[in-house]
Amino acid sequence: MSESKRLRIAIQKSGRLSKESQQLLKSCGVKFNVNEQRLIAHADNMPIDLLRVRDDDIPGLVMDGVVDLGIIGENVLEEEQIERQLANKPAECTKLRELDFGSCRLSLAVPNEFKYQDANSLEGLRIATSYPNLLRRFMQEKGINYSDCMLKGSVEVAPRAGLSDGICDLVSTGATLEANGLYETEVIYRSKACIIQSSKTQSTEKQALINKILSRINGVIRARESKYILLHAPIETLDQIVALLPGAENPTVLPLNDDTNRVAIHAVSTEDLFWDTMEELTALGASSILVMPIEKMMG
Ligand SMILES: Nc1ncnc2c1ncn2[C@@H]1O[C@H](COP(=O)(O)OP(=O)(O)OP(=O)(O)O)[C@@H](O)[C@H]1O
Ligand SMILES: O=P(O)(O)OC[C@H]1O[C@H](OP(=O)(O)OP(=O)(O)O)[C@H](O)[C@@H]1O
Ligand SMILES: [Mg+2]
């Protein structure tokens, strides 16, 4: 197979990570259109190809150097890493950074009627999961014997279907567990989406493009986490007002026309400004408070 000159990025074809992975790359200025029937989407304005695959395949594609970058849940990455280490296959890749989506946890859960005290309550039981390696690591650390029942999907119905006593599955809101008469007993792994790079040596051009994409991702995520805040404040409560603005260390303070008692404050806040803080600001005499999203950030 000849080495492609274009940077290959693997993303999930359809599922929890696919929309946000595409959106992130678009926000970084990568222009592409996805045809649902096609595995590959070529970017129009940069030498980048997107490979749209099942999420389980992404870590292996990166570790084998078939693609250069991948966007994947840390849970799937860790599971594949353990699997490959056991099989003596290449398991190396570099996690470039965590992303700001795909937040979930891998947890143990049991039927509502099950009397759970601690992890020892699972001794000798059968647990259904799609993550046998992460489950084994946890159970070995606790010294608990169990048997597993490997299911790629619909794990949450296993106890009711008589296939297992408990489950080890992904949880976010907990709605799926509740709908299936289960409750969460132990969190065994916390996960977010992340971007990974293959360990193979890249050409100077490709590495420069990877660095550019990563720096843009950093800018996009920083911008999404930040807000631009404008407000009018009485000079006498200025210090208290600035202290309330989360993460805004050096705001711009400007005079107001025909008003010597009040000033305008412009600040970039690194956190969302919550309603409670807005109410406290108003109580200190702030007015005309505007909180605006930031589209891009650099430097
Ligand atoms: N409820 C959730 N909330 C947030 N993130 C989640 C949730 N469930 C899963 N994830 C994250 O998204 C990833 C993909 O989940 P999804 O359910 O789409 O996978 P899948 O069914 O295995 O998809 P595929 O068809 O690609 O194999 C998970 O590995 C996890 O990192
Ligand atoms: O705690 P909750 O917010 O209910 O989320 C948890 C559910 O989300 C995921 O499945 P998904 O909905 O992605 O569908 P899938 O089972 O087809 O992968 C996961 O496998 C759980 O079933
Ligand atoms: Mg999958």
Side-chain angles (χ1 to χ4, degrees):
M1 201 181 76
S2 68
E3 174 71 25
S4 167
K5 285 227 162 67
R6 294 170 69 85
L7 187 73
R8 290 201 178 123
I9 309 180
I11 58 170
Q12 190 186 23
K13 183 170 191 284
S14 68
R16 291 275 183 170
L17 305 179
S18 46
K19 276 219 174 69
E20 279 162 301
S21 304
Q22 288 183 28
Q23 193 48 53
L24 179 66
L25 294 171
K26 287 192 171 165
S27 304
C28 290
V30 186
K31 291 199 174 137
F32 58 90
N33 285 312
V34 163
N35 174 341
E36 281 310 319
Q37 314 304 322
R38 298 196 54 188
L39 171 73
I40 293 194
H42 302 285
D44 315 329
N45 61 336
M46 292 190 201
I48 295 179
D49 292 337
L50 297 184
L51 257 86
R52 301 168 55 247
V53 293
R54 288 280 307 268
D55 70 341
D56 318 58
D57 295 333
I58 295 175
L61 289 169
V62 175
M63 291 167 188
D64 290 334
V66 177
V67 300
D68 307 299
L69 299 178
I71 297 181
I72 186 62
E74 290 168 325
N75 53 318
V76 174
L77 174 62
E78 189 90 8
E79 179 70 21
E80 181 71 19
Q81 242 153 4
I82 305 175
E83 179 80 31
R84 284 183 163 235
Q85 276 155 3
L86 290 173
N88 274 325
K89 283 184 168 173
E92 296 302 308
C93 70
T94 311
K95 193 189 288 183
L96 298 179
R97 69 160 291 162
E98 259 193 357
L99 302 172
D100 60 348
F101 57 89
S103 173
C104 59
R105 52 198 190 269
L106 184 66
S107 291
L108 285 161
V110 292
N112 290 338
E113 55 281 5
F114 189 103
K115 292 198 169 36
Y116 187 92
Q117 280 173 336
D118 56 33
N120 290 310
S121 310
L122 300 170
E123 178 67 35
L125 299 188
R126 185 176 293 278
I127 299 168
T129 192
S130 316
Y131 298 91
N133 292 307
L134 288 170
L135 174 61
R136 188 185 328 104
R137 185 168 77 184
F138 176 83
M139 296 299 249
Q140 276 177 354
E141 273 167 16
K142 298 270 175 188
I144 299 162
N145 298 301
Y146 71 104
S147 44
D148 59 12
C149 161
M150 183 58 199
L151 289 176
K152 287 274 182 187
S154 306
V155 174
E156 62 279 1
V157 301
R160 223 179 335 135
L163 299 177
S164 71
D165 302 293
I167 69 165
C168 170
D169 198 12
L170 297 176
V171 184
S172 169
T173 61
T176 306
L177 291 184
E178 200 185 326
N180 287 282
L182 300 165
Y183 71 99
E184 190 175 359
T185 55
E186 307 276 343
V187 175
I188 72 170
Y189 190 82
R190 289 189 192 275
S191 178
K192 278 189 171 184
C194 63
I195 181 159
I196 53 175
Q197 177 178 353
S198 139
S199 302
K200 75 172 180 205
T201 317
Q202 302 284 0
S203 66
T204 318
E205 294 82 11
K206 264 197 189 176
Q207 190 56 50
L209 185 54
I210 292 172
N211 296 349
K212 183 195 281 241
I213 295 288
L214 184 62
S215 139
R216 290 187 182 184
I217 288 177
N218 290 339
V220 169
I221 294 179
R222 252 178 77 208
R224 290 206 284 231
E225 285 170 349
S226 306
K227 294 281 178 279
Y228 196 76
I229 299 164
L230 303 165
L231 57 86
H232 291 173
I235 288 173
E236 57 185 13
T237 55
L238 184 59
D239 291 346
Q240 287 162 275
I241 286 181
V242 170
L244 272 181
L245 299 175
E249 276 157 28
N250 292 308
T252 310
V253 179
L254 299 164
L256 284 174
N257 209 15
D258 283 342
D259 189 344
T260 49
N261 298 319
R262 299 160 65 73
V263 287
I265 300 180
H266 292 201
V268 173
S269 164
T270 51
E271 294 162 42
D272 220 340
L273 197 65
F274 293 105
W275 283 111
D276 299 346
T277 314
M278 304 265 279
E279 283 152 9
E280 285 177 65
L281 289 169
T282 318
L284 286 167
S287 61
S288 305
I289 308 173
L290 296 178
V291 180
M292 298 190 292
I294 296 172
E295 198 185 294
K296 293 190 176 65
M297 242 174 150
M298 232 183 178

